[in-house]
Amino acid sequence: MRLTRAEQQRLTRQRLLEAAVAAFLERGYLAATVEEIAAAGGYTRGAVYKQFGGKEGLWQAIVDTRAEELMRGLAVALDQAGSREDLLAVLTPGGGDQARWALVSAEAVAAMSGNPRHAATMAALQDRFDTEITALLERHCARLGLTPAMPLPHLVVAWGSMGAGLALRQAIHPGTDAAAVTASLLDALFRKE
């Protein structure tokens, strides 16, 4: 069965995203090349530039896709939270490949920070998701009778920064118990009314 042009473009995009995720996680953002990502996806580097404009655009698409998946999961988990303890458990990191993602993200952010256009795009993505998380937490704090110890927009930024920082720390100090540190801090930040 022949694919339409739009279907071919979606397939190309998906294959390149999958190849890029694998390359970035394996080799890091800086070491992974457009050529190897394209080859792993079964394409030429021209396909990467056509679909994403380059390595930076590819990374931004990965971050956007990953953040949307995380947001959907967070929304479902918060909807199911029936208590303060449930909410805190949802906000506490669960392990997985967070340390590796943190390292790759740090490389990408450092590499893009010198380019105002790329930095602005990444900041806009972060702001969008911070706003969505803040709205989710406002709704669920009200539902569960919780009073945050600081304005929720600030709490969301602190929570995200702490998570990234702890994941980086775990990468160099595997004995760090990020879940325990996060749980302690969240316990102090979300009080019952």
Side-chain angles (χ1 to χ4, degrees), residues 91 93 97-106 109 126 156-172 176 178 182:
L91 299 178
D97 58 359
Q98 289 178 342
R100 187 65 190 147
W101 271 108
L103 288 172
V104 174
S105 295
V109 168
Q126 184 66 58
V156 168
V157 170
W159 173 63
S161 299
M162 178 187 62
L166 284 170
L168 286 171
R169 181 181 169 101
Q170 276 186 311
I172 60 168
T176 301
T182 303

Side-chain angles (χ1 to χ4, degrees), residues 128-149:
R128 186 176 100 217
F129 290 110
D130 285 353
T131 299
E132 290 179 28
I133 292 168
T134 299
L136 275 173
L137 287 176
E138 283 174 349
R139 188 175 89 219
H140 292 290
C141 283
R143 178 177 65 84
L144 297 171
L146 302 177
T147 304

Side-chain angles (χ1 to χ4, degrees), residues 6 50 79 81 90 97 119 127 145-146 169:
K50 183 177 181 181
D79 283 344
V90 168
D97 58 359
D127 289 346
L146 302 177
R169 181 181 169 101

Side-chain angles (χ1 to χ4, degrees), residues 23-124:
F24 290 148
L25 286 177
E26 181 181 328
R27 296 181 24 84
Y29 178 81
L30 296 174
T33 66
V34 168
E35 291 79 6
E36 76 179 276
I37 291 167
Y43 300 97
T44 64
R45 64 182 273 159
V48 173
Y49 287 98
K50 183 177 181 181
Q51 288 284 327
F52 302 101
K55 189 170 163 179
E56 296 86 356
L58 188 52
W59 176 256
Q60 291 164 0
I62 289 168
V63 169
D64 192 39
T65 301
R66 185 170 163 83
E68 286 178 11
E69 290 169 1
L70 292 171
M71 280 300 303
R72 282 192 298 274
L74 180 62
V76 168
L78 286 172
D79 283 344
Q80 295 172 353
S83 67
R84 175 182 178 271
E85 291 69 29
D86 291 345
L87 181 132
L88 297 182
V90 168
L91 299 178
T92 301
D97 58 359
Q98 289 178 342
R100 187 65 190 147
W101 271 108
L103 288 172
V104 174
S105 295
E107 282 183 342
V109 168
M112 286 188 232
S113 66
N115 181 313
R117 183 174 59 87
H118 295 306
T121 300
M122 292 305 295

